[in-house]
Amino acid sequence: MELEVRHLRALCAIADAGSLHKAARQLGMSQPSLTTQLRRIENSLGAELFSRGRTGCLPTPLGRSVLSRARPLVADMAALVTETRAAVARTEGPGLRVGSTASRALPGWLRRIRERLPGTDVGLRVDVSANALLSTVAAGRLDVAFVHEVEGCPLRVPEGLQHRILVAREPQFVSMARDHPAAASPVVDLADLAGDHWMVDPTVDGEWDGLLRVLGAAGIDPPLLHGDYHTAASLIVLGEAVAPCQPTSVPREDMAIRPLRGDPLAVRLLLYARPGTALDTLYAELSAAYREAALRAAPYREWLRRQAAAAGLSVGPCMMAV
């Protein structure tokens, strides 16, 4: 087998992530596929490049030597692709490539961008992984990315990106069946959900670790289910699970959304862009779109009013601290 750039990229990802599971998620492939690829690379070179243990994957001495040669090659290839795509974009006319993790503000933001920048071809990529989006921006395949960072789980931000903080601390609410006993209260204690199954998507960067940290700090150890939030919704309405959710989520007739007392779960909302991107313009439109989404969601609107009242501020659209 001849080594290719994709093989070198995989080796760098494993070394950076420290585990095959995390590296596979960053590369957009399954862990078994990456394990097989690593085995083929090592068989081709005739030696182990990583030592596998309970704490993850660490480069062997030979692995460190290979990585020292591989990283410049991967970086040079990425630069070649970035520069070529930039040259093509200049000849094809104005365009904006937008990336985002899931957000209720996204549709309004795209609409506002098109109105603010008429004639601009706006592309979109939605990904559960904020780290993957940031890497894509750094590689030149996206111009801007709107992402969230789970509290206590900092993102890996490539060098050279510009950023703006949209919301320094957005509380995460909890969704449950409409007839759940805790839904009778406007604010829910974590202890009231200790006996429920919690649903979490482990592919969302930081979400699994962030939830475990908060539940552990509260002294509860409820059973956890893994799955995407489309699956979660079907289980929640049946009373089989509860799940964290964005406060901008709009309640359904068969589902209740409530804030958690003390707001133990939170994320930071950030906008990253490549140098030369109209970051201030995009940030202004995103701020307006987020404000609309926040005030449209009744539970979040009430939470914001309570926060404003506690701080002695006037209640209204201006209370959004974005």
Side-chain angles (χ1 to χ4, degrees), residues 47 75 109 111 135 195 208 249 303 320:
W109 185 35
R111 172 179 54 79
S135 296
W208 166 254
S249 301
W303 183 91
M320 287 300 302

Side-chain angles (χ1 to χ4, degrees), residues 50-199:
F50 291 90
S51 59
R52 285 76 138 180
R54 295 181 62 184
T55 58
C57 291
L58 294 175
T60 63
L62 178 61
R64 288 194 293 271
S65 176
V66 171
L67 286 165
S68 69
R69 302 287 297 275
R71 292 188 188 279
L73 294 173
V74 171
D76 287 345
M77 180 57 71
L80 172 63
V81 172
T82 298
E83 292 167 7
T84 302
R85 286 175 172 162
V88 171
R90 287 194 293 271
T91 62
E92 291 181 344
L96 182 68
R97 297 161 300 175
V98 175
S100 179
T101 49
S103 172
R104 297 280 180 172
L106 184 56
W109 185 35
L110 295 178
R111 172 179 54 79
R112 286 176 171 274
I113 291 175
R114 294 189 176 100
E115 292 173 351
R116 182 74 175 268
L117 304 172
T120 300
D121 182 22
V122 182
L124 174 65
R125 171 181 168 178
V126 176
D127 198 307
V128 296
S129 172
N131 285 312
L133 289 171
L134 296 182
S135 296
T136 306
V137 174
R141 296 192 296 274
L142 287 175
D143 298 304
V144 62
F146 173 39
V147 299
H148 69 274
E149 178 183 71
V150 176
E151 195 167 66
C153 304
L155 297 174
R156 296 184 301 276
V157 181
E159 293 184 4
L161 299 186
Q162 301 173 319
H163 82 282
R164 298 286 186 274
I165 299 174
L166 181 69
V167 179
R169 193 175 194 271
E170 181 194 66
Q172 298 300 280
F173 289 0
V174 63
S175 55
M176 63 192 77
R178 175 64 66 179
D179 58 357
H180 192 292
S185 173
V187 180
V188 175
D189 288 295
L190 272 176
D192 295 335
L193 307 173
D196 290 280
H197 288 79
W198 282 75
M199 191 89 176

